[in-house]
Amino acid sequence: MRWEDLDQEACSVARTLSVVGDRWTLLILRECFLGTRRFEAFESRLGIARHVLADRLKKLHEAGVLDRVAYQERPKREEYRLSERGRDLYPVMVTLAQWGDKHMAGPEGVPLLRIHDTCGHVTVGELICSDCGEPLHARDVHVEAGPGAVTL
Amino acid sequence: MRWEDLDQEACSVARTLSVVGDRWTLLILRECFLGTRRFEAFESRLGIARHVLADRLKKLHEAGVLDRVAYQERPKREEYRLSERGRDLYPVMVTLAQWGDKHMAGPEGVPLLRIHDTCGHVTVGELICSDCGEPLHARDVHVEAGPGAVTL
DNA sequence: TTGACAGGTTCTCTTATGGAACCCACTTTC
DNA sequence: GAAAGTGGGTTCCATAAGAGAACCTGTCAA
């Protein structure tokens, strides 16, 4: 399969990965969630090649994940901010970070703690069933064809 | 930054992506969660080049995400199954799928529904704070240095 | 003894990435 | 008013990764 055909797959994971599934995109979005907004800042914080960064920011903007917001005129300068669509990727970030916290942290502990301002405590995101509120585990979930399923 | 240095970053997102952050790995893991176990099955379901598949399965095994389980001797044949570590990636899969469901599904609807066997209903995973139980949104969370933070 | 099967490896060609240099529209400083 | 700085790119080249096809290796069955 070619990478460009990925958004045609009848699978939401594949379709999401067609937007965020390359080497750099999720790291760029991590920076966005940490507050980074400008080209130079992304470059220096990530150590990414400039043309790759320019390409990814362009694609994320075209995908509606990042908005370009002018922060000065003359010379015109724009910064990149998460759109609503982009902020919706937050659960992906948190679950990725938590897997790393659990399985990739060294003996010295996790690099970053997430504090939930609402309650003031260190938080670990927990995935629960929207219907019954119980934790959602792979072994308790099966899939069925949805309305957009491809009938082969 | 070179891709090989990614697991050295003081960031759990980066460290997780050093394991699952390339083009194919998360799609291979999607198949694992859907029940695919054998080389040929991954190949035909994903349309991935064979040498790339062999390389990714090897790396996932080395990373402890997939176990190799013999299912016959003579000729020796092994299949790939999610380890505990691998099953811990389920929240990442669900959140990726849900972003796709919300933002990438066509007018015909989502391709797959997830049914929570515990309650019997179609489920949408919801990320809540482990401490207070409220939904976890990016705007309500800030980060602080953890014990494994790098002090620059 | 020829095929088939599962699971790879090897080959060549195309595409993507890393790293450095260069460009452009301004503004600030000398 | 010329030189240097700033932010955000683009261009060029060498290396690395991917796609696609062919080939290899045990083993069994016809």
Side-chain angles (χ1 to χ4, degrees):
Chain A
M1 180 172 40
R2 311 297 303 280
W3 193 248
E4 305 87 63
D5 307 331
L6 203 56
D7 57 343
Q8 304 303 317
E9 290 276 298
C11 166
S12 289
V13 174
R15 289 177 186 166
T16 301
L17 292 176
S18 75
V19 177
V20 303
D22 82 293
R23 270 154 117 113
W24 283 109
T25 304
L26 284 166
L27 288 172
I28 291 171
L29 290 171
R30 171 199 76 181
E31 285 305 315
C32 293
F33 280 107
L34 290 174
T36 302
R37 293 178 171 177
R38 300 196 187 168
F39 192 93
E40 295 282 314
F42 286 109
E43 191 206 354
S44 65
R45 293 182 54 97
L46 291 172
I48 182 176
R50 296 172 71 87
H51 63 298
V52 176
L53 176 59
D55 179 72
R56 292 309 178 281
L57 290 172
K58 181 160 164 275
K59 284 181 176 154
L60 284 170
H61 179 233
E62 286 166 2
V65 171
L66 296 181
D67 291 330
R68 298 179 61 131
V69 180
Y71 66 90
Q72 71 173 37
E73 301 293 331
R74 323 192 35 175
K76 183 157 189 169
R77 293 277 182 268
E78 293 178 315
E79 58 185 18
Y80 297 88
R81 295 198 200 179
L82 286 164
S83 64
E84 192 58 39
R85 214 175 158 87
R87 280 190 294 274
D88 278 348
L89 284 164
Y90 189 65
V92 174
M93 281 293 144
V94 171
T95 52
L96 283 170
Q98 291 185 175
W99 193 87
D101 284 349
K102 178 168 179 185
H103 295 287
M104 304 291 285
E108 67 282 3
V110 306
L112 286 182
L113 298 172
R114 277 167 294 285
I115 316 291
H116 192 208
D117 299 331
T118 309
C119 67
H121 294 101
V122 171
T123 186
V124 179
E126 199 174 334
L127 200 66
I128 61 166
C129 171
S130 56
D131 196 80
C132 69
E134 291 295 307
L136 214 52
H137 299 298
R139 64 176 174 278
D140 301 326
V141 175
H142 73 273
V143 296
E144 290 181 6
V150 177
T151 44
L152 297 174
Chain B
M1 180 171 44
R2 312 294 305 282
W3 192 247
E4 306 88 61
D5 307 332
L6 202 57
D7 58 344
Q8 304 304 317
E9 290 277 298
C11 167
S12 290
V13 174
R15 290 176 185 168
T16 300
L17 292 177
S18 75
V19 177
V20 303
D22 81 292
R23 273 156 117 110
W24 282 108
T25 302
L26 284 166
L27 289 173
I28 291 171
L29 290 171
R30 172 198 75 182
E31 285 304 316
C32 292
F33 280 106
L34 291 174
T36 302
R37 294 177 172 177
R38 299 196 186 167
F39 191 94
E40 294 283 313
F42 286 108
E43 191 206 354
S44 65
R45 291 183 55 97
L46 290 171
I48 181 176
R50 295 173 72 87
H51 64 300
V52 177
L53 175 59
D55 179 74
R56 293 308 177 281
L57 290 172
K58 180 160 164 279
K59 284 181 176 152
L60 285 170
H61 178 234
E62 286 166 3
V65 172
L66 295 181
D67 292 331
R68 297 179 62 130
V69 180
Y71 65 90
Q72 72 173 36
E73 300 294 329
R74 325 184 35 137
K76 184 158 188 171
R77 291 278 182 269
E78 292 178 317
E79 59 185 18
Y80 297 87
R81 296 198 200 178
L82 287 165
S83 64
E84 192 59 40
R85 215 174 157 88
R87 280 191 294 274
D88 278 349
L89 283 165
Y90 190 65
V92 174
M93 279 294 143
V94 171
T95 52
L96 283 170
Q98 289 185 175
W99 193 86
D101 284 349
K102 179 168 177 183
H103 295 288
M104 303 291 284
E108 68 281 6
V110 306
L112 286 182
L113 298 172
R114 277 167 295 283
I115 317 292
H116 192 207
D117 299 330
T118 310
C119 67
H121 294 100
V122 171
T123 186
V124 179
E126 201 174 332
L127 199 67
I128 61 164
C129 172
S130 55
D131 196 81
C132 68
E134 291 295 307
L136 213 52
H137 299 299
R139 64 176 173 277
D140 301 327
V141 176
H142 72 274
V143 296
E144 291 182 6
V150 177
T151 45
L152 297 174

